[in-house]
Coordinates of all heavy atoms in Angstrom, one line a residue:
E173 N 8.4 56.5 -2.5 CA 9.4 55.4 -2.1 C 8.8 54.0 -2.4 O 9.5 53.1 -2.8 CB 9.7 55.6 -0.6 CG 10.4 56.9 -0.4 CD 10.6 57.3 1.1 OE1 9.9 56.6 1.9 OE2 11.2 58.3 1.4
S174 N 7.5 53.9 -2.0 CA 6.8 52.6 -2.3 C 5.3 52.9 -2.2 O 4.8 53.2 -1.1 CB 7.2 51.5 -1.4 OG 6.5 50.3 -1.7
V175 N 4.6 52.8 -3.3 CA 3.1 53.0 -3.3 C 2.5 51.8 -4.0 O 2.9 51.4 -5.2 CB 2.7 54.3 -4.0 CG1 1.2 54.4 -4.1 CG2 3.3 55.5 -3.2
R176 N 1.5 51.2 -3.4 CA 0.9 50.0 -4.0 C -0.6 50.1 -4.0 O -1.2 50.4 -2.9 CB 1.4 48.7 -3.2 CG 0.9 47.4 -3.8 CD 1.5 46.3 -3.1 NE 1.0 45.0 -3.5 CZ 1.4 44.3 -4.6 NH1 2.3 44.9 -5.4 NH2 0.9 43.1 -4.9
L177 N -1.3 49.8 -5.1 CA -2.7 49.7 -5.2 C -3.1 48.3 -5.5 O -2.6 47.7 -6.4 CB -3.2 50.6 -6.4 CG -2.6 52.0 -6.5 CD1 -3.2 52.7 -7.7 CD2 -2.9 52.8 -5.3
T178 N -4.0 47.7 -4.7 CA -4.4 46.3 -4.9 C -5.9 46.2 -4.9 O -6.6 47.0 -4.2 CB -3.8 45.4 -3.9 OG1 -4.2 45.8 -2.6 CG2 -2.3 45.4 -4.0
G179 N -6.4 45.2 -5.5 CA -7.9 45.0 -5.6 C -8.2 44.5 -7.0 O -7.4 44.3 -7.9
E180 N -9.5 44.2 -7.2 CA -10.0 43.9 -8.6 C -10.1 45.2 -9.4 O -11.2 45.7 -9.6 CB -11.3 43.1 -8.5 CG -11.2 41.8 -7.8 CD -10.2 40.8 -8.5 OE1 -10.1 40.9 -9.7 OE2 -9.6 40.0 -7.7
L181 N -9.0 45.7 -9.8 CA -8.9 47.1 -10.3 C -9.7 47.3 -11.6 O -9.8 48.5 -12.1 CB -7.5 47.6 -10.4 CG -6.6 47.4 -9.2 CD1 -5.2 47.9 -9.4 CD2 -7.3 48.1 -8.0
S182 N -10.0 46.3 -12.3 CA -10.7 46.4 -13.6 C -12.2 46.1 -13.5 O -13.0 46.2 -14.4 CB -10.1 45.5 -14.6 OG -8.8 45.7 -14.8
A183 N -12.7 45.8 -12.2 CA -14.1 45.5 -12.0 C -14.9 46.8 -12.0 O -14.4 47.9 -11.9 CB -14.3 44.8 -10.7
D184 N -16.2 46.7 -12.2 CA -17.1 47.9 -12.2 C -17.2 48.5 -10.8 O -17.1 49.7 -10.7 CB -18.5 47.5 -12.7 CG -18.6 47.2 -14.2 OD1 -17.7 47.6 -14.9 OD2 -19.5 46.4 -14.6
E185 N -17.2 47.7 -9.8 CA -17.2 48.2 -8.4 C -16.2 47.3 -7.6 O -16.2 46.1 -7.7 CB -18.6 48.1 -7.8 CG -19.6 49.0 -8.4 CD -21.0 48.9 -7.7 OE1 -20.9 48.8 -6.4 OE2 -22.0 48.9 -8.4
F186 N -15.4 48.0 -6.8 CA -14.4 47.2 -6.1 C -13.8 48.1 -4.9 O -14.0 49.3 -4.9 CB -13.2 46.7 -6.9 CG -12.4 47.9 -7.6 CD1 -11.3 48.4 -7.0 CD2 -12.8 48.3 -8.9 CE1 -10.6 49.4 -7.6 CE2 -12.1 49.4 -9.5 CZ -11.0 49.9 -8.9
E187 N -13.2 47.4 -4.0 CA -12.5 48.1 -2.9 C -11.0 48.0 -3.2 O -10.5 47.0 -3.5 CB -12.8 47.4 -1.6 CG -12.2 48.1 -0.4 CD -12.5 47.5 1.0 OE1 -11.9 46.4 1.3 OE2 -13.4 48.0 1.7
M188 N -10.4 49.2 -3.2 CA -9.0 49.3 -3.5 C -8.2 49.7 -2.3 O -8.5 50.7 -1.6 CB -8.8 50.4 -4.6 CG -7.3 50.5 -5.0 SD -7.1 51.6 -6.4 CE -7.7 53.2 -5.8
L189 N -7.2 48.8 -1.9 CA -6.3 49.1 -0.8 C -5.1 49.9 -1.4 O -4.5 49.4 -2.3 CB -5.8 47.8 -0.2 CG -4.8 47.9 0.9 CD1 -5.3 48.8 2.1 CD2 -4.3 46.6 1.4
T190 N -4.9 51.1 -0.8 CA -3.9 51.9 -1.3 C -2.9 52.1 -0.1 O -3.3 52.6 1.0 CB -4.4 53.3 -1.7 OG1 -5.4 53.1 -2.7 CG2 -3.3 54.2 -2.3
S191 N -1.7 51.7 -0.2 CA -0.7 51.9 0.9 C 0.6 52.3 0.4 O 0.9 52.1 -0.8 CB -0.6 50.5 1.6 OG -0.1 49.5 0.7
G192 N 1.4 52.9 1.2 CA 2.8 53.3 0.8 C 3.4 54.4 1.7 O 2.9 54.8 2.7
Q193 N 4.6 54.8 1.2 CA 5.3 55.9 1.8 C 5.7 56.9 0.7 O 6.3 56.4 -0.3 CB 6.6 55.3 2.5 CG 6.3 54.3 3.6 CD 6.1 52.9 3.1 OE1 6.8 52.5 2.2 NE2 5.1 52.2 3.7
I194 N 5.5 58.1 1.0 CA 5.8 59.2 0.1 C 6.6 60.3 0.8 O 6.2 60.7 1.9 CB 4.6 59.8 -0.5 CG1 3.8 58.8 -1.4 CG2 4.9 61.1 -1.4 CD1 2.5 59.4 -1.9
L195 N 7.7 60.7 0.3 CA 8.4 61.8 0.8 C 8.1 63.1 0.0 O 8.4 63.2 -1.2 CB 9.9 61.6 0.7 CG 10.8 62.8 1.2 CD1 10.5 63.2 2.6 CD2 12.3 62.5 1.0
L196 N 7.3 64.0 0.6 CA 6.9 65.2 0.0 C 8.1 66.2 0.1 O 8.2 66.8 1.2 CB 5.6 65.7 0.6 CG 5.1 67.0 0.0 CD1 4.8 66.9 -1.5 CD2 3.8 67.5 0.7

Side-chain angles (χ1 to χ4, degrees):
E173 296 168 352
S174 178
V175 175
R176 184 173 175 82
L177 316 178
T178 57
E180 297 298 327
L181 305 183
S182 300
D184 291 336
E185 295 184 37
F186 60 92
E187 184 177 77
M188 179 171 65
L189 175 61
T190 306
S191 59
Q193 299 83 40
I194 296 174
L195 174 59
L196 180 59

